[in-house]
Amino acid sequence: LNKAYFDRVAAIEYTIAHDDGQKPENWRQAEVLLLGVSRSGKTPLCLYLSVLGWKAANLPLVPGLELPEELFQVDRRRVLGLLIEPGQLLAFRQQRQQRLGVSGPSSYTDPEKLYAEVEFARQVYRRGGFATLDVTDKPIESTADEIIRLISRLPSD
């Protein structure tokens, strides 16, 4: 019981320390590395998984920002790209802007730029040979269950 508790605490600490692309040199220790555009749910999914005892890291994909070389050194079977329907993504981003008190159009909610971001993410997934999961209209729990099923099938190192 104590070991399970401390393993869970270690997973939570790892996940918090590896949020938003931090410490890529330690990604090989992750049981799962989630990729996706802003507002695709990477951080909440990672935190949920960590509470279940999984070491999870995530990397936001932003066109124009160089990808860390460590991304392509992680076992690609442990890297999952999140997909989301652009209409839902746009709604999430507009809600975020409103919560932040930002009004009017911006590149963050420009549909043309949003589609370009989604396409950039797909290119990264193809380049790395990473599996993808569509998170559109799915609760975190369902997506986490899918991730756990995928990762649990991998042979242990």
Side-chain angles (χ1 to χ4, degrees), residues 76-87:
R76 69 178 178 83
R77 299 170 303 167
R78 297 190 181 283
V79 182
L80 298 171
L82 302 182
L83 300 171
I84 186 168
E85 190 273 318

Side-chain angles (χ1 to χ4, degrees), residues 4 25 27 46 57-58 62 67 82 107 119 140:
E25 65 276 6
W27 285 347
C46 284
N58 72 72
V62 180
L67 296 169
L82 302 182
S107 61
E119 182 51 35
I140 288 173

Side-chain angles (χ1 to χ4, degrees), residues 20 35-42 59-63 82 84 88-90 92-93 96 108 114 117-118 121 125:
D20 274 344
L35 310 176
V37 299
S38 174
R39 309 317 304 162
S40 59
K42 299 174 302 298
L59 173 66
L61 298 177
V62 180
L82 302 182
I84 186 168
Q88 187 173 70
L89 181 60
L90 178 61
F92 288 164
R93 288 183 175 190
R96 183 178 194 200
Y108 189 64
L114 187 140
E117 278 186 63
V118 170
Y125 305 155

Side-chain angles (χ1 to χ4, degrees), residues 15-134:
T15 297
I16 290 170
H18 296 84
D19 186 38
D20 274 344
Q22 295 180 67
K23 300 183 182 179
E25 65 276 6
N26 297 331
W27 285 347
R28 287 185 185 187
Q29 298 168 12
E31 292 169 289
V32 63
L33 172 60
L34 299 181
L35 310 176
V37 299
S38 174
R39 309 317 304 162
S40 59
K42 299 174 302 298
T43 296
L45 261 170
C46 284
L47 290 173
Y48 184 85
L49 287 166
S50 75
V51 169
L52 298 177
W54 291 81
K55 289 182 179 177
N58 72 72
L59 173 66
L61 298 177
V62 180
L65 290 184
E66 191 173 328
L67 296 169
E69 64 183 54
E70 291 90 348
L71 172 60
F72 301 102
Q73 296 169 357
V74 175
D75 180 348
R76 69 178 178 83
R77 299 170 303 167
R78 297 190 181 283
V79 182
L80 298 171
L82 302 182
L83 300 171
I84 186 168
E85 190 273 318
Q88 187 173 70
L89 181 60
L90 178 61
F92 288 164
R93 288 183 175 190
Q94 288 170 335
Q95 289 171 0
R96 183 178 194 200
Q97 271 194 195
Q98 286 176 344
R99 280 194 311 274
L100 295 173
V102 177
S103 60
S106 75
S107 61
Y108 189 64
T109 55
D110 179 323
E112 192 173 306
K113 291 189 178 178
L114 187 140
Y115 280 100
E117 278 186 63
V118 170
E119 182 51 35
F120 170 72
R122 288 179 184 274
Q123 289 171 1
V124 171
Y125 305 155
R126 284 191 297 271
R127 177 179 161 198
F130 305 135
T132 60
L133 289 175
D134 190 340

